[in-house]
C-alpha cells in the first residue's frame, strides 16, 4: 500500500511563513510528479504547485507565484511547500498528491495512478 502523509500545517499570522512536508511511503516503483492542492470552505479545489521528479521542473497557480516554493527530495520520496507572505485567503486544507507507479509483489511496475494524502489545515489569521 502506498501512503502520503503531510505535516507542517497550523495557524500563522498574515505575512508569516509555513513549510509543509509530504512523504510518500510503501511499495513504490517510481514517482513522476508530486504536488499540492488546497481547498477552502465553499470553494473548489485548486492545484497549488507541482514538481517533476525527473528534472525538477515545477509549476504554480497564479495565486501563489512568487510566494510559494515547491521542492523535492527524491531519495526520501518527499515534497515540500515553502509558503511565504501568507494571506488570509491562503487558508485551506492542503493535500499532497503523487502521480506514481506502485511496485507489485513480484517487484515489477504496477498500474500508474494518482495518490492523495489526508490533508493538513493551514489557517492564516491574526
Amino acid at each position: 500500500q502506498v501512503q502520503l502523509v503531510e505535516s507542517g500545517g497550523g495557524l500563522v499570522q498574515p505575512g508569516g511563513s509555513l513549510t509543509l512536508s509530504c512523504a510518500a511511503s510503501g511499495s513504490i516503483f517510481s514517482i513522476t510528479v508530486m504536488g499540492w492542492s488546497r481547498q477552502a470552505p465553499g470553494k473548489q479545489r485548486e492545484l497549488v504547485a507541482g514538481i517533476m521528479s525527473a528534472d525538477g521542473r515545477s509549476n504554480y497557480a497564479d495565486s501563489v507565484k512568487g510566494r510559494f516554493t515547491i521542492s523535492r527530495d527524491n531519495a526520501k520520496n518527499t515534497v515540500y511547500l515553502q509558503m511565504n507572505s501568507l494571506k488570509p485567503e491562503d487558508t485551506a486544507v492542503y493535500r499532497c498528491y503523487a502521480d506514481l507507479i506502485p511496485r507489485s509483489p513480484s517487484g515489477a511496475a504496477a498500474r500508474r495512478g494518482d495518490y492523495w494524502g489526508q490533508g493538513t489545515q493551514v489557517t492564516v489569521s491574526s
Side-chain angles (χ1 to χ4, degrees):
Q1 289 284 0
V2 174
Q3 281 190 315
L4 275 64
V5 178
E6 303 101 334
S7 61
L11 173 64
V12 63
Q13 292 187 341
S17 298
L18 275 177
T19 300
L20 305 182
S21 300
C22 171
S25 63
S27 191
I28 298 171
F29 189 86
S30 65
I31 298 176
T32 304
V33 180
M34 292 188 78
W36 295 90
S37 71
R38 67 185 181 184
Q39 188 165 21
K43 294 188 178 181
Q44 288 189 331
R45 187 175 67 192
E46 177 185 28
L47 290 178
V48 175
I51 187 166
M52 302 291 289
S53 296
D55 58 13
R57 282 183 297 148
S58 59
N59 55 64
Y60 298 90
D62 287 343
S63 57
V64 306
K65 280 181 182 177
R67 300 188 298 122
F68 290 12
T69 303
I70 190 169
S71 60
R72 88 269 191 246
D73 184 334
N74 288 345
K76 296 181 179 180
N77 287 339
T78 298
V79 65
Y80 306 94
L81 187 68
Q82 173 69 43
M83 305 184 292
N84 298 327
S85 302
L86 283 161
K87 306 174 182 179
E89 51 264 42
D90 293 317
T91 296
V93 174
Y94 285 71
R95 294 182 71 189
C96 170
Y97 70 87
D99 175 352
L100 61 83
I101 298 174
R103 186 183 300 277
S104 69
S106 68
R111 179 172 292 185
R112 179 176 174 176
D114 292 334
Y115 293 78
W116 293 84
Q118 290 297 312
T120 185
Q121 177 70 44
V122 172
T123 302
V124 185
S125 175
S126 55

